[in-house]
Amino acid sequence: MAYQTINPYTNETVKEYPEATDQQLEEALQNGHELYHTFKTQDIKERAEQLRQIAANIRERSTELARTCTIEMGKLLAEAEGEVELCAVIADWYADNAEELLKPEEIETGANGKAEVHYQSTGVIMMVEPWNFPYYQIMRVFAPNFMVGNPMILKHASNTPSTAQLMADVISEAGAPKGSLTNLFLNYDQVSKAIADPRVQGVALTGSERSGSTVAKTAGEHLKKSTLELGGMDPFIVLDGANMDEVADIAWRSRLYNCGQECTSSKRFIVMENMYDEFVERLKDNFSKVKPGDPLDEATTLAPMNTKKAKEKLQEQVDEAIKAGAHVVYGNEPIDLPGQFFMPTILTDVDRDNPAHTTELFGPVAVVYKVSTEEEAIKLANDSSYGLGGTVFAGDSEHGAEVAEKIETGMVFVNNIRYSLPELPFGGVKRSGYGRELSKLGQMAFVNEKLIMKADKPDMDNLAGGLVSPVDLG
Ligand code: NAP
């Protein structure tokens, strides 16, 4: 497997990295395992200090981090800067809150004595991450697991090795002990081997259904816990009462942010028929204003896609959609630049049997549907094997929230832009995966929720409900 940095704007191969050896994997597992035991006896406050220092170093090196990301996977520099800052915010949040989140909790019980759940580390965690938010994906798993005391091994995407190594270096240079996060250029067999290893206690994967299913199968085979953050076909529903100026201003950004290569990107726009024409017109207008170019240049507003392969796959999907009856309202024309550019495209008339109705288009392509009732909008939104996120514009936010209740996804934003912040849980249902990252839920993903019951002495006069024999043997 080739780990390479290829600039998708210039198509130049910037750097190549050799694959990890089995010996390096073994060392990482052993370092991680030893650190797990060291962390157990360490005050969590020490790790909080280290995590704060990591946040500070991320901010100090933000220009280098952002530029490396833009050169490696093509995102606009301003977006890369935003991603870097978000990593620092996540690190600070867990440094500030993890101790409280992990405090033992008392449970009211009818049993004799006091019952508490203690939250403890479990061991080394394997992390498999994608290229689209190459730093943020690492930090979502790193910060909470570092705080609880789970060391990590990272296998990043083969097209983002430089960002992976840079973040691992920043973390290590900020003072995190060796083994806290070891980045390795692993092949798939080595990932399986790591998951099978008894020193590893869980695996967190963000990526496609294909890799999610493979990695979860290996985890299941070895009885390891897993969390999966997979794809999405998030609906963006526009109902009566929606403010069309706000809708128009957010819709295009929702689709073109990160060049449309985002799991929670709004991929299906579901619009009431009386607003449909205006919606399409304004989406088209906004799509037509973006300026392709060098993503390092501040004037550029349309980035290249991350690889030639990704662009070719998207083109094939759009061609298939058109063959199956989709109408191109805008776009789908070549952009005369050497980078991996894909013109923002709007498709309508996508029927249920069109592949674009059921498969994720991971790039700047919007599918717009017309509906005549709210029930139809909800039914269409739920007519997907995915269940990650979604947006509802409804004017009245209470009514919007009632609609949100009926959407089968893990996150819904009403009359709002999408957020990802450390205090908000992130994740989906159906084929978008399971488990949550960020927030308290992300903190608890790989902890041992250990029950400790203490009493001064057993209550032998009241055995009801106890798992000891009530029969008197005397
Ligand atoms: P991908 O091919 O599944 O790659 C993701 C990661 O999994 C990469 O590190 C990849 O390594 C690795 N991988 C793939 N097959 C593997 C295997 N058999 N064993 C071990 N590792 C394996 O995903 P992608 O297509 O690049 O990423 C885009 C997908 O991720 C989209 O579907 C998107 O919606 C989803 N995504 C979800 C979220 C979320 O939070 N829900 C966030 C971002 C992206 P290689 O690069 O070496 O193949």
Side-chain angles (χ1 to χ4, degrees), residues 129 131 140 155 158 188 207-208 210-211 230-231 263 360 426:
E129 301 300 338
W131 46 267
R140 287 200 319 197
K155 183 258 177 275
S158 49
Y188 297 167
S208 60
R210 179 184 43 81
S211 63
L230 309 179
C263 51
E360 187 183 29
F426 191 107

Side-chain angles (χ1 to χ4, degrees), residues 173-218:
E173 286 160 24
K178 187 175 173 189
S180 300
L181 176 80
T182 309
N183 174 51
L184 290 176
F185 301 121
L186 300 174
N187 61 38
Y188 297 167
D189 287 345
Q190 288 170 319
V191 171
S192 299
K193 207 168 145 188
I195 295 169
D197 191 281
R199 291 164 289 193
V200 168
Q201 291 303 316
V203 54
L205 177 138
T206 295
S208 60
E209 288 165 271
R210 179 184 43 81
S211 63
S213 145
T214 308
V215 163
K217 189 172 165 194
T218 308

Side-chain angles (χ1 to χ4, degrees), residues 178-297:
K178 187 175 173 189
S180 300
L181 176 80
T182 309
N183 174 51
L184 290 176
F185 301 121
L186 300 174
N187 61 38
Y188 297 167
D189 287 345
Q190 288 170 319
V191 171
S192 299
K193 207 168 145 188
I195 295 169
D197 191 281
R199 291 164 289 193
V200 168
Q201 291 303 316
V203 54
L205 177 138
T206 295
S208 60
E209 288 165 271
R210 179 184 43 81
S211 63
S213 145
T214 308
V215 163
K217 189 172 165 194
T218 308
E221 200 177 325
H222 297 282
L223 305 177
K224 304 292 169 74
K225 196 171 180 186
S226 59
T227 57
L228 298 181
E229 299 286 354
L230 309 179
M233 287 187 66
D234 290 3
F236 184 115
I237 303 174
V238 184
L239 298 175
D240 286 335
N243 177 324
M244 267 313 257
D245 290 338
E246 290 166 2
V247 166
D249 202 22
I250 291 172
W252 73 273
R253 297 173 200 275
S254 255
R255 192 62 192 100
L256 298 192
Y257 177 65
N258 212 34
C259 197
Q261 305 165 113
E262 192 192 4
C263 51
T264 51
S265 185
S266 300
K267 294 176 188 135
R268 299 179 297 143
F269 294 89
I270 300 171
V271 188
M272 291 295 275
E273 58 190 348
N274 56 334
M275 304 163 102
Y276 177 86
D277 290 343
E278 183 183 353
F279 177 86
V280 172
E281 206 43 50
R282 291 179 79 166
L283 188 64
K284 193 170 138 183
D285 187 43
N286 284 320
F287 272 18
S288 69
K289 285 181 189 153
V290 296
K291 183 175 173 296
D294 183 350
L296 289 172
D297 182 345

